[in-house]
Amino acid sequence: MKYVILLCDGMADVPFDGLNGQTPAEAASKPTMDALAQKAEVGTLRTVPEGLSPGSDVANLAVLGYDTKECYTGRSPLEAANIGIDLKDDDVALRCNLVTLSDDDVYAEKTILDYCAGDIATDEADTIIRTLQEALGGGEFDFYTGTAYRHCLVWHGGKTALGKITPPHDITGRVIGDYIPSHPDAAPLLRLMERSVEILKDHPTNAARVAKGENPANAIWLWGQGHRPSLQNFTARFGVKGSMISAVDLLKGIARIAEMRVCDVEGATGYIDTNYEGKLAAAVNELKSGQDLVYIHLEGPDECGHRGEAQNKVKAIEDIDRRVLAPLLEALKDMGDHTVLILPDHPTPLTIRTHTADPVPYLLYRSNAEKASGVTRFTEAEARSTGIHEEVGYRLMSRMLNT
């Protein structure tokens, strides 16, 4: 048996006026996904346990079969694992976003204009992270380059009980004064965020970006703090050999900690311009080379949800259906019996442009046990209509694998 998890990050949504009152999944033309739903188990799944924030970290850990209430220590340490950072016991890792802030003179009066600094490329971002390391790192703090706008700060001997620290993608277009770290123990982080504005204001990379009409990476935003995590080996836990295919450090970091095989795909961006064909080829190659399970993570729908890009979110879903799922199913036919699980990790509604903890639709197809689901399409409403619901998200993996 071969197993595929097709994780459409942030795909779930609510009816949106800009799509004639439809969700993106309803508006999208996705014939392969819809046909598969007709002969699969379709239902809803709670991926975010009560009391935890609805981030991709918590939700993907649950989909991978891990009880987040037992193993979760924070988002950034998971990303740090993929960057290659060896966290010590007293280190605290934080996500370090490169963002675009407005030019207001008073820091607290600035507005967050762009949580991803105009989709800055990794090579450009690296020049900025290196500058920050030279100016602010080398002692209590160290900066590490990640991917695109997503980077890492390690706070040696740092603290994690810092009060509420809001992710920047939750506050695009808002004045930052109500969201900057206010807990006394977070004061060193606030100083770094404030100093980054002065350091990056005239940075050559930003000058070049502004000249091209692109948003500058003129500040950092710190969030997602946590200590070094520990996950049970995936194969020891489930008895199958798994591979991770993703563009983002978070998913690849989770996989490295769980000792899954991690595939690096050239041109994988985490947006709608990602290398779909490269991810497909990597998945097929992993299965043909002896791996039992591949986890194909596609970030595009989530990014479009955060940006309020309704048509692009529809396009992301359509591209996943046409460029990944359809050829993948053809390849699986030559490999014998197979099981395919398709789902989002969490909703990212266009109406609010951030994550929610609502249950997500899922589709669980077994080639050797097809059954009429009673639905005609794979949508949020049709998944709810079946009455099938798994409240404890991490249990679905074991059920899929019959372990």
Side-chain angles (χ1 to χ4, degrees):
M1 177 69 75
K2 296 294 185 181
Y3 300 93
V4 175
I5 299 174
L6 188 63
L7 196 292
C8 309
D9 201 307
M11 181 174 73
D13 214 306
V14 297
F16 184 65
D17 288 345
L19 295 174
N20 296 318
Q22 297 178 299
T23 69
E26 291 170 338
S29 173
K30 51 184 200 322
T32 305
M33 208 175 292
D34 291 340
L36 209 61
Q38 295 171 21
K39 50 189 179 182
E41 176 186 308
V42 177
T44 58
L45 178 76
R46 183 171 298 283
T47 58
V48 180
E50 186 176 352
L52 292 179
S53 297
S56 291
D57 45 4
V58 170
N60 278 278
L61 281 167
V63 176
L64 277 162
Y66 292 94
D67 183 352
T68 47
K69 288 193 172 181
E70 293 181 358
C71 68
Y72 182 67
T73 64
R75 179 187 182 112
S76 188
L78 301 170
E79 297 173 318
N82 189 62
I83 295 173
I85 303 170
D86 181 19
L87 292 176
K88 309 304 181 188
D89 289 341
D90 65 343
D91 284 342
V92 172
L94 296 102
R95 162 72 83 84
C96 178
N97 270 53
L98 295 181
V99 302
T100 306
L101 297 182
S102 65
D103 293 330
D104 299 80
D105 291 334
V106 178
Y107 180 75
E109 295 176 359
K110 292 180 181 291
T111 297
I112 186 161
L113 303 177
D114 188 346
Y115 73 89
C116 63
D119 258 340
I120 188 169
T122 301
D123 57 347
E124 292 179 294
D126 183 57
T127 66
I128 290 174
I129 294 299
R130 289 177 182 272
T131 296
L132 292 169
Q133 175 63 15
E134 291 173 5
L136 303 173
E140 185 179 5
F141 301 100
D142 281 302
F143 292 81
Y144 295 87
T145 301
T147 303
Y149 63 89
R150 314 170 186 93
H151 306 282
C152 185
L153 172 76
V154 174
W155 184 7
H156 304 294
K159 300 178 181 180
T160 57
L162 304 175
K164 182 175 176 57
I165 299 184
T166 306
H169 52 254
D170 285 358
I171 54 173
T172 300
R174 301 183 192 177
V175 176
I176 65 175
D178 290 337
Y179 305 100
I180 55 179
S182 58
H183 193 283
D185 287 343
L189 303 180
L190 179 57
R191 285 195 295 271
L192 289 181
M193 292 164 67
E194 292 172 334
R195 291 184 65 189
S196 74
V197 174
E198 291 304 312
I199 293 167
L200 299 180
K201 179 174 58 176
D202 299 316
H203 194 282
T205 296
N206 283 328
R209 290 182 62 79
V210 171
K212 292 185 292 184
E214 298 173 340
N215 285 340
N218 61 8
I220 63 171
W221 192 271
L222 302 172
W223 61 288
Q225 70 274 13
H227 287 290
R228 182 175 61 186
S230 176
L231 295 179
Q232 184 182 8
N233 176 287
F234 185 80
T235 301
R237 187 177 182 88
F238 296 111
V240 296
K241 295 178 291 183
S243 297
M244 174 63 69
I245 300 165
S246 176
V248 300
D249 288 323
L250 171 63
L251 272 294
K252 292 194 282 188
I254 291 172
R256 292 192 193 281
I257 295 170
E259 299 181 64
M260 298 172 69
R261 201 145 78 183
V262 176
C263 301
D264 293 316
V265 177
E266 185 176 355
T269 65
Y271 188 49
I272 58 173
D273 59 352
T274 198
N275 182 2
Y276 290 105
E277 287 72 22
K279 287 190 169 185
L280 167 67
V284 172
N285 182 66
E286 288 298 288
L287 292 172
K288 287 184 175 180
S289 66
Q291 295 295 94
D292 304 302
L293 178 148
V294 292
Y295 194 102
I296 310 171
H297 173 257
L298 296 154
E299 178 84 353
D302 183 61
E303 288 290 330
C304 295
H306 287 306
R307 302 176 197 203
E309 298 173 350
Q311 294 301 327
N312 277 344
K313 188 166 184 180
V314 172
K315 182 181 187 301
I317 297 168
E318 293 178 342
D319 283 345
I320 291 169
D321 189 80
R322 176 173 58 87
R323 298 170 64 179
V324 180
L325 181 59
L328 176 64
L329 292 178
E330 286 300 313
L332 285 170
K333 289 179 182 177
D334 296 329
M335 300 184 201
D337 292 338
H338 51 272
T339 296
V340 178
L341 173 63
I342 303 174
L343 74 168
D345 48 352
H346 51 67
T348 308
L350 291 160
T351 52
I352 59 173
R353 297 172 63 169
T354 190
H355 304 165
T356 70
D358 295 334
V360 299
Y362 75 88
L363 175 168
L364 181 59
Y365 169 79
R366 301 185 191 275
S367 65
N368 61 350
E370 294 183 354
K371 60 179 181 179
S373 64
V375 308
T376 58
R377 302 193 68 203
F378 184 51
T379 67
E380 298 85 354
E382 294 220 30
R384 290 192 295 269
S385 74
T386 68
I388 300 172
H389 175 69
E390 175 57 74
E391 182 66 16
V392 183
Y394 72 87
R395 291 178 181 168
L396 185 59
M397 174 66 82
S398 293
R399 191 152 63 78
M400 182 184 75
L401 298 173
N402 292 315
T403 58

